[in-house]
Each structure stands twice: as structure tokens, then as C-alpha cells.
Amino acid sequence: MNARYLILADESADWRIGGLRQLERLLLALNEFVGKNSAEPAVVEISWRPGSREHLPARSWPHLILAESGSSSDSVLLSTRLLVRRNELDALRPALPSGSISKSWEENFRRFESIAVSSTNWLADHAAARKADRRFLQRAGKPQDGFVSRWLNRPVSRAVSRWLLKFPITPNGWTFGILILPLLATALVARGGYASILAGTLVYHLHSILDGCDGEIARAKYLESARGKHIDDFCDIVGALFFVIGLGFGLSRSGIVLYFYEGVVCAAMIATNEILLRLPQPKKAEPTVAGLSEAFYPRHRQMIQNSGIMFMGDRVVWLVVQATKRDVGILLFVLLALGDVAQWIVHLWTGTTVLSLSLTLSALVRRLRA
């Protein structure tokens, strides 16, 4: 039997939080919840408060069947005054009132309000909705974020994303749009000289910060996709390849041409490592250390586990993981450029890439021998 939900909608259905109107966010949350927890679609009715402007978001709901209000007398109650963030409906569902439904909208609302009003998710008025909108992206980070992202990059990217969510900007559009930054950074560092290299590393660091906005927009608007992740990875890799080659070229202008060759070799190893990481991986148990399984993306976790590096111990591996995060490295680039030792950016990047590629090859060899 299909689960049934009755959404009580009033003027709060139009309140915009995190780039979505409340009714649309509630339907998306319910669609996601039903898709994860049931093989059957749920029947959803929308009951509008008398005098409210009735409307329905122009989206499809694969796991929901929209029915006319009043078609059922037994449903789970929801309200557009309840802010449901991503994956929160799993925890909220047991507390939602259910059972027989009154024909009176006000009576149903009072029943729901008596249970939900004490929740921090309850939006009593438009002022509460505006406050919730300001705080909406506070938990917009990812478990893969390094400590630089958590304490420096994310606060800035969240502020930018909150502004971007006011506009119809797609995550992929933002990803392609900011690709101009690493290309600009490449042009700057390729000029050589202290000022140009410092300016280039600062622009590259700015890209690292703003690169978090596409994911924040996607999670806020339920727009995540495998294609979007591939595009984001591709643009990051392209930016890195151009930057390290450009930096090597800029450093070679001082008369030491080996810097340019080192940059080219580093770029070639980065590209090779990324290709190898995307080869099909066997499914094996993940590291048991707390936090390590979330510290890397799946392809990196497989590389770490299968390379044999775990002999150093869980804690040591976790520290190595955190110290070699992309956000940590790019901030270090700025500091090295500021200290007028930009050649160490190429040296350290090459060394880190050699280590990463060695682990990837080790994992590949061990897998082939298994």
C-alpha cells in the first residue's frame, strides 16, 4: 500500500530558503526520502489554506504521485512552515503526526503546529524564514574537506553561494565560469617575477575557494549529478596542469630552464595518476580508522587501502591524508610565493605527485597480483 502524505500549504509555500521556495524544497525532500526508503511511490496531497495562492513547482517527482486534496482521510501531515534540510526527513518522520485527517485546514494545521512548533525547523513567520536562509549553508561542507577548507575556504564560499542562490545559476555553469581563474593565474605566473607569481598564486587560491560554490549550490538545490562531479574534477585537473606548466615556464625566465621541464614532468604525472585512479576498482573493505574512510573520495580510498601504505598505522595515514589535501597545498603555494621561494611550489608539487603516483601504481600492481 502506498504511503500517503498531506502537505498543509499557506503563504509560507513561497518563502525562499537556500534558493528554493518552501513547497518545492519540501516536495524534493519527500521525493528523496521515499526514493531511499520505499520501492513504491508515495501519494501526496497539497491542502491550501483558504485564501492562499495555489501553485505547484514545475518539476517532476519520480517517487511521488500528486493527488487532489481531500482524496484521503488517513495521511502523514507535513507543513510548508517546516524547513527540511537534506536527509533530515529520516529523523523527522517518526515525530510527524499521522492518522485520520480533518476536513478543516485550520484543525489539521493546529494539530501539526502543536507537535512541530518546538522544533528548530519551524518557521513561525517570514522573519524566521529570512533568519533560516542566512544560516542555511552553515552545514554545506563535505567530509572530504581539509582543515583549510573548513576554517578558511568554506566560510568565504558559503557567503558567495548564499548570494548566488538568489539567481538561476547552475552548478555546472559556475564550474565552467570560474575556469577562467586558473587560466588567468597561469598567464600571471608565466610572466615570471615576484609580483606576477604572487598574484598568480593568489588568483589560483581564489579559484580553490570559489570552487566550493558549485557543490554548495548543487546540494542546496538537489542538483547533484555524476556528470557534475566529472565536470568539476575535469576543470580542477585542467587548471592544475596549466598552472604547474605556467609556473615552471615563469620560473625558467630567471635562466634556469630546468624549472620548465620539471613543471611539464609534474603535469604529465598528475594526468597519468588521474587516469589510473579512474580505472575500475575492486570492492574491498575500507579502512577502519575513524575519519579516514570519509577523508578521501572513493577512488582515493581504494588507492590508499590497496597500496600497502596502511602498515604505517591508521593515525599516521590519517595525518598524511590531511597534510596533503589540495586546499592545504594551495594555501602553502601562496605562502611560498610570498616568501619569494616559488620554485619550491614546483618541487613540492612534483614530490607529492611522485608519492601519489607511486601509491597508485603500487595499488595497481598488488591488485593485478591478487
Side-chain angles (χ1 to χ4, degrees), residues 6 72-77 97-104 107-108 111:
L6 178 66
S72 174
S73 60
D74 190 10
S75 299
V76 178
L77 283 177
S98 60
S100 60
I101 302 300
S102 170
K103 293 183 178 180
S104 168
E107 186 175 333
N108 289 326
R111 182 183 169 200

Side-chain angles (χ1 to χ4, degrees), residues 10 12 17 20 30 44 49 51 73 100 130 135 175 182 191 199 226 229 238 241 296 317 319 328 370:
D10 58 8
S12 62
I17 298 175
L20 293 174
L30 190 56
V44 178
R49 187 174 198 164
S73 60
S100 60
R130 289 195 296 268
R135 296 180 175 180
T175 301
R191 289 168 56 91
K229 292 177 182 178
V238 168
L241 297 180
F296 266 132
V317 172
L319 289 172
V328 177

Side-chain angles (χ1 to χ4, degrees), residues 102-122:
S102 170
K103 293 183 178 180
S104 168
W105 190 96
E106 295 293 345
E107 186 175 333
N108 289 326
F109 182 76
R110 284 193 296 269
R111 182 183 169 200
F112 186 89
E113 186 181 31
S114 65
I115 295 175
V117 72
S118 61
S119 170
T120 55
N121 296 52
W122 183 251

Side-chain angles (χ1 to χ4, degrees), residues 202-215:
L202 286 170
V203 171
Y204 194 56
H205 187 229
L206 176 63
H207 175 263
S208 176
I209 293 173
L210 297 182
D211 189 40
C213 293
D214 51 8

Side-chain angles (χ1 to χ4, degrees), residues 191-261:
R191 289 168 56 91
Y194 176 79
S196 292
I197 291 178
L198 177 58
T201 56
L202 286 170
V203 171
Y204 194 56
H205 187 229
L206 176 63
H207 175 263
S208 176
I209 293 173
L210 297 182
D211 189 40
C213 293
D214 51 8
E216 291 165 357
I217 295 170
R219 290 186 289 277
K221 291 186 173 182
Y222 291 76
L223 293 175
E224 300 103 319
S225 68
R227 180 172 178 268
K229 292 177 182 178
H230 292 322
I231 290 174
D232 188 36
D233 287 344
F234 175 77
C235 289
D236 288 345
I237 294 167
V238 168
L241 297 180
F242 273 94
F243 184 80
V244 72
I245 293 174
L247 180 58
F249 179 77
L251 291 169
S252 71
R253 285 173 170 247
S254 65
I256 306 177
V257 72
L258 286 178
Y259 289 144
F260 173 66
Y261 294 128

